[in-house]
Amino acid sequence: MVYLTPLFLIIISYIMGSLLCTGVKDKPEHPAEVCIIGTMSVLLLWEAIILPSIKLLASFAVVSVTYSIILIGIVVLSLILARKFIAQNMRVSEPISLLPVIIIGIILGIQIAFFFLFYPDRNYDFTLETVNTTLESDLIYENHPGMGSTFLYGITFRGKIVTFPLFIAYLAKLFPGNVPCLVYRSIPTWTLLCSFMVYGLWAKALFTEDKQGKKKGTFFLLGVGLLNIFGSFSKDCIFYYQMFRGFSGDTFCYTVLIPYAVYRSFQLFYNKKYGSVIYIMMVAMTCLCVTDVKKGFVPMIICMVISGIVAL
């Protein structure tokens, strides 16, 4: 069951993203971007529910049920109100070449195999411990994930707003089974797929006006995959995080959120799509949900400023 988690997250994210995209002027044209917007919405909804629950000392089971009910309601509403948008967005306007799909599929398969064959880097990370502690205690940030005992002084608010490990705990509750497999295999697979969706948007933006745009876009994604595989030798590079720490909120921020923020910054300053401001704000808030402010939010702002200067 735990291996169905990436598929579940992508489907739910796309449906939820479709509802949001129907109400904005700058509608995304690519299903991958709709899925990324929906992914941020899923995480922000979790954040909106979990923060008051921490203050109210609610149990994790109550939070999980509440979130599930709201999520089901939004999915049903989206299927009713956004059905026309979904039909138009999923419509294939041009014939799909089989060779690029095979190439990208192979490079993705090799990377996903890494998560099953190689041991993840768990140094200074308590994601699995936090998930297990939350599930066993049914409490939210009350027990130390390493010791299991009650926190002596508690966690600061800056630490409590990082709810990505709790979201993984919710998924573990939703898909019962081997929790380490969920954390170290399913979540990295989901992060990798989201990352390739964002880089697919990059490829589309970079090579749209080129006659061989599809071919160059395929090689672009192939290059990203090869960099992940062969560039993961240094623990300080983004490729290492993608391949060996794909379960952490830091990796999700560095490989999905910040690249998408740069993409939207380019659309804002170069193509004058001012609706990008909404999506950039969503990225900024999601960065606060998945990792510490100095690791996610600050680098995102720096990257956006640089990309804006380059675009101008």
Side-chain angles (χ1 to χ4, degrees):
M1 288 292 288
V2 295
Y3 297 120
L4 296 176
T5 308
L7 181 63
F8 167 78
L9 289 171
I10 289 173
I11 293 174
I12 290 295
S13 298
Y14 180 79
I15 295 174
M16 190 168 179
S18 299
L19 180 62
L20 294 174
C21 293
T22 54
V24 296
K25 186 177 181 181
D26 183 16
K27 291 181 174 60
E29 299 176 357
H30 202 284
E33 186 168 10
V34 177
C35 188
I36 294 299
I37 293 169
T39 300
M40 294 189 294
S41 304
V42 167
L43 293 173
L44 289 173
L45 176 63
W46 174 257
E47 182 83 3
I49 294 174
I50 204 77
L51 285 182
S53 302
I54 294 174
K55 190 68 175 177
L56 296 171
L57 300 179
S59 68
F60 186 73
V62 171
V63 175
S64 299
V65 171
T66 304
Y67 180 75
S68 298
I69 293 172
I70 295 175
L71 196 62
I72 292 171
I74 293 176
V75 168
V76 172
L77 190 65
S78 179
L79 292 174
I80 296 173
L81 299 180
R83 62 185 185 278
K84 291 183 179 179
F85 174 84
I86 294 174
Q88 294 174 356
N89 190 250
M90 293 295 291
R91 186 179 301 163
V92 180
S93 57
E94 300 178 5
I96 299 175
S97 178
L98 188 60
L99 183 60
V101 175
I102 294 175
I103 293 173
I104 296 171
I106 290 173
I107 199 68
L108 274 172
I110 294 172
Q111 293 173 87
I112 293 172
F114 261 67
F115 307 141
F116 288 81
L117 300 176
F118 291 89
Y119 194 76
D121 182 2
R122 298 179 54 203
N123 291 333
Y124 306 107
D125 184 87
F126 286 93
T127 301
L128 179 61
E129 290 80 0
T130 302
V131 171
N132 283 329
T133 302
T134 303
L135 293 174
E136 289 298 323
S137 66
D138 200 30
L139 299 174
I140 306 171
Y141 286 151
E142 291 293 326
N143 294 339
H144 193 286
M147 303 292 292
S149 57
T150 305
F151 277 111
L152 184 60
Y153 299 106
I155 302 179
T156 62
F157 178 76
R158 179 171 154 182
K160 288 180 179 180
I161 62 175
V162 181
T163 59
F164 191 69
L166 298 178
F167 182 71
I168 298 177
Y170 166 74
L171 294 174
K173 201 175 187 67
L174 193 64
F175 294 92
N178 194 319
V179 177
C181 286
L182 171 69
V183 175
Y184 297 133
R185 291 176 180 176
S186 296
I187 297 301
T189 300
W190 171 56
T191 302
L192 178 67
L193 293 175
C194 289
S195 175
F196 262 70
M197 289 181 194
V198 175
Y199 287 122
L201 297 175
W202 276 32
K204 189 173 184 294
L206 291 171
F207 307 117
T208 298
E209 299 177 359
D210 198 301
K211 293 181 179 180
Q212 295 183 327
K214 290 184 178 180
K215 184 177 179 181
K216 290 183 178 180
T218 302
F219 280 109
F220 176 80
L221 293 176
L222 176 62
V224 172
L226 292 175
L227 283 172
N228 283 338
I229 295 170
F230 297 106
S232 57
F233 54 86
S234 174
K235 291 187 176 183
D236 296 324
C237 69
I238 188 174
F239 312 116
Y240 181 88
Y241 270 74
Q242 181 79 83
M243 301 310 298
F244 293 99
R245 296 181 67 88
F247 53 87
S248 71
D250 297 354
T251 304
F252 190 84
C253 185
Y254 300 151
T255 63
V256 179
L257 297 179
I258 291 180
Y260 182 66
V262 172
Y263 166 78
R264 268 298 165 180
S265 180
F266 175 80
Q267 296 291 340
L268 174 63
F269 294 107
Y270 186 79
N271 293 328
K272 308 302 180 184
K273 292 187 176 181
Y274 299 108
S276 297
V277 175
I278 298 173
Y279 304 123
I280 291 172
M281 290 176 63
M282 289 182 66
V283 174
M285 290 187 291
T286 310
C287 282
L288 296 174
C289 302
V290 299
T291 188
D292 188 73
V293 60
K294 67 180 180 180
K295 292 182 178 181
F297 182 79
V298 174
M300 188 211 77
I301 297 298
I302 295 173
C303 290
M304 278 191 54
V305 171
I306 294 174
S307 63
I309 293 172
V310 172
L312 292 172

